């Protein structure tokens, strides 16, 4: 069972979280779907809750702060060694840092940015909190990908900021590359337009499940919905679903024969 307690190498998608308009409903939903257990912070940290599987952090959920927040969505945080330096690289490469680096107690330092094509993402400089500890198994992070507004511009931006290299695996029907860091596959990049008409640029989050059909049934039973019906890939069966607030995420049922997509 993959467990990593050390900080993830710079450029690796290292954490995901959701700001929920109905905090209690979101926690109940994901507890039912994935069996997550939550450790909730106090007022100082906005009652942010860390979800765990077998005692190891896998994701975070917090209540929306204020009435004018963005639509609910899972946010991907990329590990950095120095948040200030990474934010400067983002700006120099044409991105926008709309929430500058901010220290979160002893847990670490975060910032929020938008790439030049419109994808929002976070930066995370580890302190006591190093990101996901458990991954690629039931209820934990399996994959992250940037679905950009401009494929070539997106690839150039992330290569400049994080040193990504790419392996093209798309074809004439769609553009898609795996993302590599020092020979490790850490994610993917494609285009939002090929996900669906009118879909804005965004980073997508995949969670691993042992039983895709059973998990989908639970999602629907608990108030979520199926966005894209199950489909087969070389990396296992997948589906896109939404939570109780409409936030979209993907499920990945990885077979023993298929290579699991790893966050690092």
């Amino acid at each position: 069972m993959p467990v990593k307690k050390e900080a993830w190498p710079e450029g690796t998608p290292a954490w995901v979280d959701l700001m929920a308009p109905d905090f209690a409903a979101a926690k109940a939903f994901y507890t039912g779907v994935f069996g997550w257990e939550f450790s909730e912070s106090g007022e100082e940290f906005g009652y942010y809750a860390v979800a765990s599987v077998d005692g190891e952090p896998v994701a975070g959920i917090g209540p929306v702060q204020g009435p004018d927040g963005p639509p609910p969505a899972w946010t991907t945080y990329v590990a950095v060694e120095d948040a200030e330096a990474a934010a400067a690289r983002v700006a120099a490469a044409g991105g926008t840092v709309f929430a500058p680096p901010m220290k979160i107690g002893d847990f670490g330092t975060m910032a929020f940015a938008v790439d030049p094509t419109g994808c929002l993402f976070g930066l995370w400089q580890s302190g006591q909190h190093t990101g996901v500890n458990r991954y690629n198994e039931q209820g934990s992070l399996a994959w992250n990908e940037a679905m950009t507004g401009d494929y070539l511009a997106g690839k150039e931006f992330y290569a400049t900021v994080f040193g990504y290299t790419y392996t093209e695996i798309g074809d004439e029907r769609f553009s898609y590359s795996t993302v590599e860091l020092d020979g490790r596959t850490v994610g993917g990049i494609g285009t939002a337009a090929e996900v669906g008409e009118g879909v804005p640029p965004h980073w997508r989050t995949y969670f691993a499940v042992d039983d895709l059909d059973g998990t989908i049934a639970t999602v629907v039973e608990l108030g979520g919905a199926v966005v894209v019906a199950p489909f087969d890939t070389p990396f296992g069966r997948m589906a896109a679903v939404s939570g109780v607030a409409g936030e979209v995420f993907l499920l990945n049922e990885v077979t023993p024969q298929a290579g699991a997509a790893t966050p690092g």
Side-chain angles (χ1 to χ4, degrees):
M1 294 185 178
V3 174
K4 180 180 175 64
K5 296 180 181 290
E6 302 82 15
W8 290 94
E10 181 160 273
T12 307
W15 187 246
V16 293
D17 69 13
L18 169 70
M19 295 295 106
D22 188 329
F23 188 40
K27 290 191 294 180
F29 174 80
Y30 287 99
T31 295
V33 172
F34 296 131
W36 286 353
E37 297 179 345
F38 288 94
S39 174
E40 191 172 313
S41 67
E43 183 178 4
E44 179 185 3
F45 299 109
Y47 301 103
Y48 188 88
V50 173
S52 298
V53 172
D54 294 333
E56 300 293 348
V58 295
I61 296 180
V64 169
Q65 303 296 318
D68 300 320
W74 280 97
T75 298
T76 294
Y77 293 76
V78 180
V80 295
E81 295 176 359
D82 183 330
E84 292 283 355
R89 294 198 303 272
V90 166
T96 302
V97 179
F98 69 88
M102 173 176 55
K103 190 173 182 182
I104 311 299
D106 294 328
F107 297 105
T109 300
M110 73 174 183
F112 291 104
V114 178
D115 74 26
T117 82
C119 290
L120 181 149
F121 63 99
L123 303 173
W124 183 254
Q125 177 186 330
S126 293
Q128 292 179 355
H129 177 69
T130 59
V132 299
N133 283 12
R134 190 177 292 279
Y135 58 97
N136 280 353
E137 61 179 85
Q138 169 64 34
S140 63
L141 187 63
W143 189 248
N144 304 80
E145 62 192 9
M147 304 308 290
T148 64
D150 183 312
Y151 183 57
L152 295 180
K155 289 173 69 175
E156 181 179 0
F157 170 79
Y158 289 106
T160 300
V161 175
F162 298 119
Y164 289 168
T165 58
Y166 305 99
T167 300
E168 182 71 51
I169 62 172
D171 56 28
E172 65 278 359
R173 297 171 299 167
F174 72 104
S175 301
Y176 194 90
S177 291
T178 56
V179 172
E180 281 79 44
L181 275 175
D182 299 325
R184 298 176 301 112
T185 299
V186 298
I189 188 168
T191 59
E194 291 168 348
V195 175
E197 185 176 353
V199 174
H202 64 289
W203 273 81
R204 301 209 292 183
T205 296
Y206 292 66
F207 293 109
V209 295
D210 295 331
D211 177 1
L212 182 63
D213 295 326
T215 303
I216 289 173
T218 302
V219 165
V220 173
E221 178 184 351
L222 295 177
V226 177
V227 177
V228 178
F231 55 96
D232 293 319
T233 81
F235 305 102
R237 294 177 70 229
M238 301 182 185
V241 298
S242 61
V244 290
E247 73 280 5
V248 175
F249 58 100
L250 287 96
L251 304 172
N252 182 191
E253 179 186 79
V254 180
T255 64
Q257 294 78 21
T262 68

